[in-house]
Amino acid sequence: MDYLRSVTQSVLGSPQPGHQPTGAETVERLIDRVQSSTLLEDRRDGCRALKAMSRKYRVLVGAHGMDTLTQVLETDRSDHEIVNYSLETLVNITSPEEYPEEMEDEGTTPAGHASVVGEQFTEIFTKRQENIELLVNLLDEFDFKVRYPAVKLLTNLLKNRPKDLQEVILIIPSGVSKLMDLLSDSREVIRNDTLLLLTQLTKSNTNLQKIVAFENGYDHMFEIIEGEGYSDGGVVVEDCLILMLNLLRNNPSNQTFFKEGSYIQQLTSFFSLPLDSRDGWSAQKVTNIHYMLQLVQTLVAPQNPAQVVTSCQKVMNQCGLLQALTGLLMASGVPVDILTDTITTVSDMIRGSQPNQEFFASMMAPSSPPRPAIVVLLMSMVNEKQPFILRCAVLYCFQCFLYRNQTGQAQIIQTLLPQTADVVPGAKPFPNSVTAGQLLCSGLFSLDPVSNWFAAVALSHSLVDNATQKENMLRVQLATSVGSAAVSLLQQCTSILQARSKVLTRFGILMLLSTWLAHCPLAVQTFLAIPTAVPYLTTHVSANEHDELEMVCQGLCAFLLGLCVQFNDGSGSNFSRESLKQLVSDRIGAENFGDKLSNISRTEVYSKAAKSPQLAAKQPSDLVFDHEFCRLFKSLEVSCVRAVTPQLMVGNTAEVCPAEVTKYKDIIRDQDAEITRLRDLLRDIQREIEEVRSDKEQLSSKVQQLHDENTVLKAQQGIAVKSTASSVEANIVENQKESSGESIEELAQQVALLQQQLAEVTHARDYYYYEVYKKEAELTSL
């Protein structure tokens, strides 16, 4: 405060005795001095004083002095000192952060509203494109006092109004080029802040991402990362990696350019870590490697275009990146979170790529005796003492290893059959070595429900789209106890299902059986030959459960029962297709069966699992569905319903009149027209609700604007606004809000009523559809 007093006194002179000028008066006199002084030195002193006051009196300086400060940047550009004061002042008033000096005093910004004020001043400043062009041109000045605050000001503007700044910088000639040139600045503080600026600039803007990439952005960042020491570098390496992730994520053009520019080969250096000195993992190093792994994942993510993923996977194998990451995966002393990310990254690198899958199959872990890497990973997956996220990553890796890999699927199934020692192609047998099949069986029969689910899902991936292995797995025999007769794996899975096991175990077993029986009539007949199989399914589906997980389990049982009908070729004598359909009709009911089946796709967990092949579970309770099972269910749900819906037998019953079918069709047509009308009405009401809400938001915005104007007026005039005016204004706004709220409530009631009518009409239409389908089936059978 003493410094501020001394500065203002030197600029404005000593105040009159007995009169202490207010902040508003001081700011006004300083701005007037900057505007009217003919001497550069006087203007410079005025700008320096405004800078000193801009933190505490942010609203005052911004409201009165922004235009003046911008004018200084244009007219006095040759004087770097006054430009520095002006830029620093603009940085302070546009900052999204709150300064300790700010107080609710003399019209300054209320505490907690600093970001709002900074955004408002940013909006005012960016309305004129010339202001942004002026800032970008100031970057040409090499003087630190000009270039550095210009970078900080641009960063503030981007944080507050990112879209506005992005649009302006896109149309400024050489705008991005001038920013990219700052990455070559020898002063690290400018270079580092430019990285943060470019990160803000490229967020969610594909065009700017492409421009930065083609302006040698990758070269600059690789050069900085190398100079900083790769993963051993500081936070600058992290900033470079975040910027590269911005450029590559969801941007196929940049991903292709990254591959064709031979930048993937440079990623190998990121993971050239000393294998025998891994105890020095600092927090920053863990963060850096985490982002390095994310960078690799971004290039081979399953949601990317297939041709981009395939080409990147090929290059990663050829340049040794895959080998480097598998080496990191098998190393000792690696933190659990880095190990988990590495497993996930390797998974995406081998998913669907036969050469990469073969390379991964040949990897041996440095254990005694040496074991295939896939076996070591499965040991972790079925071990309940291992971290949950690590076990999920291993399952995803196993799934990616088997994805479109029939050779790998065959080898896994072979480890379950007698006289087999090899685990995967290329692996040499070892005496008394544990096999992948043994590990999966141990997990399947474990007392840990999570291990049961993991092992069941892993086994199901050995059967996906592979009818041969489904039949081969029917030959698997298990010795459940010493001296007892061996039972088949299918029979043992059914026994586990019927043993009132945990719901997570049942989820896994039912998904395994569904994958096994789909498109495999021999497996269906073998399953139907188990005496207790069909009674268990019908009893469970017909039960009246209200628990969400139990309802999902019923849906899985219904799906499995539907597969038994759909893929029943009639070669067995236990249950024919017709007898199963009759059983469903008598014990469950066709409509109830369809409802139980549709419960699966209605759940949120199903939607999440269907989106991405990678497990998104954070805890065991999140484990319900597997992505491949969701794909199978989606492809067979409708056909299962059609297969199970009973075809009414025509015997001594009266003939079905075609006119009756026509009558049902007319009713359906009328119902469709009514549904369309109700939907149009609902759409109109929803649009009206949105308009009312928009009006309400505008009123709230107007209130905030009036509040801000009131604050500025108090600062300018130094007097309080009369409380009566505020009261009137508040009453007006409150009345408008109440009327808007009443309108919204009335419209919401109308919407609820219409939605209820729509649901009733839709249900009636579905019923008529079913009747028409039944009648047409009767006519067809005549």
Side-chain angles (χ1 to χ4, degrees):
M1 193 66 185
D2 293 337
Y3 169 75
L4 176 61
R5 187 178 295 111
S6 64
V7 171
T8 53
Q9 288 179 359
S10 65
V11 177
L12 304 177
S14 299
Q16 295 295 329
H19 174 69
Q20 185 67 28
T22 64
E25 293 173 344
T26 304
V27 169
E28 185 175 355
R29 292 174 64 185
L30 288 172
I31 292 173
D32 182 66
R33 190 177 187 89
V34 173
Q35 290 176 338
S36 59
S37 296
T38 56
L39 295 177
L40 176 61
E41 184 177 353
D42 290 342
R43 296 198 301 275
R44 187 189 303 129
D45 290 341
C47 287
R48 182 171 65 248
L50 284 174
K51 173 191 170 184
M53 300 185 69
S54 60
R55 285 177 176 255
K56 183 176 180 180
Y57 301 99
R58 186 207 292 238
V59 172
L60 295 173
V61 176
H64 300 288
M66 179 175 288
D67 291 339
T68 302
L69 294 168
T70 306
Q71 187 66 28
V72 168
L73 297 179
E74 295 179 1
T75 58
D76 296 325
R77 177 172 175 175
S78 58
D79 186 82
H80 291 174
E81 188 173 355
I82 192 173
V83 169
N84 172 262
Y85 294 146
S86 299
L87 289 173
E88 291 284 1
T89 306
L90 290 171
V91 168
N92 290 340
I93 64 177
T94 59
S95 173
E97 301 176 358
E98 183 176 349
Y99 295 115
E101 299 91 335
E102 292 185 79
M103 301 167 55
E104 292 192 46
D105 180 74
E106 300 187 24
T108 55
T109 308
H113 290 74
S115 60
V116 177
V117 173
E119 183 177 348
Q120 289 174 347
F121 284 135
T122 297
E123 183 179 3
I124 295 171
F125 186 83
T126 55
K127 279 183 178 179
R128 294 180 68 240
Q129 179 181 330
E130 296 80 5
N131 292 344
I132 309 302
E133 292 182 358
L134 178 61
L135 280 182
V136 173
N137 291 331
L138 285 174
L139 296 176
D140 293 333
E141 301 290 342
F142 186 74
D143 193 337
F144 182 84
K145 292 185 296 185
V146 176
R147 179 174 286 187
Y148 182 58
V151 171
K152 290 199 298 183
L153 179 55
L154 282 171
T155 303
N156 281 354
L157 300 179
L158 275 167
K159 287 180 180 178
N160 293 329
R161 306 284 293 186
K163 292 186 177 179
D164 294 345
L165 261 291
Q166 288 171 339
E167 292 175 359
V168 173
I169 291 178
L170 265 176
I171 61 178
I172 294 178
S174 304
V176 177
S177 299
K178 292 182 179 181
L179 292 174
M180 295 301 296
D181 291 340
L182 300 182
L183 292 177
S184 303
D185 198 302
S186 57
R187 294 159 295 193
E188 291 187 359
V189 64
I190 293 180
R191 181 200 67 185
N192 298 346
D193 278 21
T194 302
L195 286 173
L196 301 178
L197 169 62
L198 290 171
T199 301
Q200 291 288 335
L201 181 66
T202 55
K203 277 184 179 179
S204 306
N205 192 302
T206 304
N207 292 326
L208 282 170
Q209 291 167 1
K210 292 178 182 178
I211 295 173
V212 171
F214 282 93
E215 288 282 350
N216 298 323
Y218 298 134
D219 293 317
H220 284 297
M221 283 174 278
F222 274 109
E223 183 179 349
I224 295 173
I225 292 173
E226 181 181 3
E228 293 290 325
Y230 295 106
S231 61
D232 292 322
V235 71
V236 179
V237 173
E238 177 184 347
D239 293 338
C240 287
L241 294 169
I242 293 175
L243 177 54
M244 276 206 279
L245 284 171
N246 268 8
L247 301 182
L248 291 172
R249 191 172 284 142
N250 301 322
N251 195 322
S253 175
N254 278 5
Q255 292 168 4
T256 302
F257 178 68
F258 193 88
K259 178 192 71 72
E260 294 178 349
S262 301
Y263 295 109
I264 292 180
Q265 290 82 338
Q266 299 185 47
L267 293 177
T268 308
S269 303
F270 287 4
F271 305 100
S272 299
L273 308 174
L275 300 180
D276 32 352
S277 60
R278 295 184 178 273
D279 29 10
W281 290 82
S282 65
Q284 187 60 57
K285 181 173 183 177
V286 170
T287 302
N288 290 344
I289 295 182
H290 170 74
Y291 281 116
M292 289 175 177
L293 291 169
Q294 275 196 16
L295 190 60
V296 179
Q297 287 182 45
T298 302
L299 296 170
V300 290
Q303 58 266 26
N304 289 349
Q307 65 273 16
V308 175
V309 174
T310 302
S311 58
C312 288
Q313 287 175 331
K314 181 179 180 181
V315 175
M316 289 176 181
N317 191 354
Q318 292 173 345
C319 71
L321 180 58
L322 177 59
Q323 182 178 0
L325 284 178
T326 50
L328 178 62
L329 188 150
M330 291 291 110
S332 58
V334 181
V336 173
D337 50 349
I338 292 297
L339 183 59
T340 302
D341 285 345
T342 305
I343 294 173
T344 304
T345 305
V346 171
S347 304
D348 287 334
M349 293 170 73
I350 66 175
R351 177 179 168 84
S353 172
Q354 184 176 353
N356 292 10
Q357 290 167 338
E358 291 176 355
F359 172 82
F360 185 72
S362 65
M363 285 294 299
M364 303 297 291
S367 59
S368 182
R371 291 190 177 98
I374 195 70
V375 171
V376 175
L377 291 175
L378 288 177
M379 287 180 177
S380 299
M381 188 187 76
V382 299
N383 185 353
E384 58 184 299
K385 296 182 180 180
Q386 292 291 339
F388 177 73
I389 57 172
L390 178 64
R391 300 172 73 186
C392 290
V394 172
L395 176 61
Y396 180 59
C397 184
F398 187 75
Q399 293 171 346
C400 291
F401 170 67
L402 297 180
Y403 183 69
R404 296 179 181 175
N405 182 9
Q406 293 196 351
T407 302
Q409 290 176 319
Q411 199 65 30
I412 295 296
I413 300 301
Q414 286 297 315
T415 63
L416 291 166
L417 299 176
Q419 298 178 350
T420 301
D422 291 344
V423 182
V424 288
K428 298 180 180 179
F430 294 98
N432 302 320
S433 63
V434 65
T435 66
Q438 292 170 353
L439 289 171
L440 292 176
C441 285
S442 68
L444 191 62
F445 309 137
S446 168
L447 297 178
D448 175 31
V450 178
S451 297
N452 301 154
W453 193 91
F454 282 147
V457 171
L459 272 175
S460 70
H461 278 259
S462 303
L463 306 175
V464 171
D465 299 330
N466 197 327
T468 302
Q469 300 312 318
K470 292 179 182 180
E471 295 181 0
N472 285 340
M473 205 160 85
L474 294 173
R475 296 162 41 206
V476 177
Q477 298 291 317
L478 304 171
T480 55
S481 60
V482 179
S484 62
V487 297
S488 68
L489 177 60
L490 184 62
Q491 185 174 352
Q492 184 63 19
C493 289
T494 308
S495 300
I496 296 173
L497 192 62
Q498 298 168 357
R500 303 301 299 173
S501 52
K502 298 289 182 65
V503 66
L504 193 58
T505 302
R506 282 181 280 157
F507 285 159
I509 296 293
L510 286 169
M511 287 191 292
L512 170 60
L513 292 176
S514 298
T515 306
W516 198 345
L517 269 58
H519 305 285
C520 185
L522 181 59
V524 170
Q525 294 302 326
T526 307
F527 178 75
L528 293 176
I530 301 174
T532 57
V534 173
Y536 171 81
L537 294 179
T538 54
T539 301
H540 206 68
V541 175
S542 60
N544 188 18
E545 298 283 352
H546 298 287
D547 180 75
E548 183 178 358
L549 294 180
E550 288 296 337
M551 291 174 64
V552 171
C553 197
Q554 290 178 354
L556 290 172
C557 289
F559 183 58
L560 185 59
L561 189 58
L563 294 176
C564 291
V565 176
Q566 183 178 358
F567 298 103
N568 189 337
D569 61 358
S571 59
S573 57
N574 298 75
F575 290 96
S576 65
R577 176 179 291 188
E578 295 301 326
S579 62
L580 276 177
K581 288 191 288 187
Q582 190 64 43
L583 180 64
V584 171
S585 177
D586 295 341
R587 292 288 303 276
I588 302 172
E591 186 176 354
N592 188 31
F593 177 85
D595 290 340
K596 294 295 177 68
L597 197 61
S598 62
N599 284 339
I600 293 179
S601 56
R602 292 173 184 168
T603 59
E604 184 180 356
V605 286
Y606 173 86
S607 301
K608 289 182 178 179
K611 287 180 181 178
S612 173
Q614 185 174 350
L615 286 174
K618 303 298 181 184
Q619 54 191 356
S621 59
D622 296 334
L623 295 176
V624 180
F625 294 117
D626 170 60
H627 175 76
E628 281 297 325
F629 171 79
C630 294
R631 189 177 66 87
L632 177 70
F633 180 83
K634 184 178 180 180
S635 64
L636 295 178
E637 178 186 9
V638 176
S639 57
C640 278
V641 173
R642 291 176 179 172
V644 173
T645 301
Q647 305 293 333
L648 298 181
M649 303 300 296
V650 179
N652 298 327
T653 58
E655 290 187 1
V656 180
C657 179
E660 190 173 352
V661 175
T662 304
K663 181 187 72 173
Y664 280 121
K665 289 184 177 180
D666 293 338
I667 293 175
I668 290 173
R669 192 178 298 108
D670 294 339
Q671 297 289 352
D672 283 340
E674 179 68 12
I675 288 174
T676 302
R677 186 187 67 81
L678 289 174
R679 283 177 175 168
D680 292 340
L681 183 58
L682 178 62
R683 191 181 303 111
D684 294 338
I685 292 179
Q686 287 176 336
R687 187 183 303 112
E688 189 174 348
I689 289 177
E690 290 300 324
E691 292 176 356
V692 173
R693 286 177 177 169
S694 177
D695 292 340
K696 187 177 179 181
E697 291 176 358
Q698 291 178 3
L699 285 173
S700 299
S701 176
K702 182 65 176 177
V703 170
Q704 183 63 37
Q705 183 180 352
L706 289 172
H707 174 76
D708 294 338
E709 291 177 357
N710 182 34
T711 302
V712 174
L713 286 173
K714 284 197 296 182
Q716 290 175 336
Q717 300 174 4
I719 59 173
V721 179
K722 293 182 179 180
S723 58
T724 55
S726 299
S727 176
V728 170
E729 174 190 323
N731 289 335
I732 292 174
V733 173
E734 186 65 28
N735 291 335
Q736 291 175 330
K737 284 187 174 180
E738 288 179 0
S739 63
S740 300
E742 292 174 358
S743 301
I744 291 177
E745 289 181 2
E746 293 176 359
L747 292 172
Q749 292 176 359
Q750 295 182 33
V751 169
L753 180 61
L754 285 171
Q755 288 177 336
Q756 181 180 0
Q757 295 177 3
L758 184 62
E760 293 175 355
V761 174
T762 303
H763 178 74
R765 184 195 62 175
D766 293 341
Y767 173 76
Y768 284 121
Y769 270 130
Y770 170 72
E771 291 294 330
V772 170
Y773 173 73
K774 184 170 65 175
K775 296 299 182 182
E776 287 182 339
E778 292 175 352
L779 291 173
T780 303
S781 61
L782 289 177

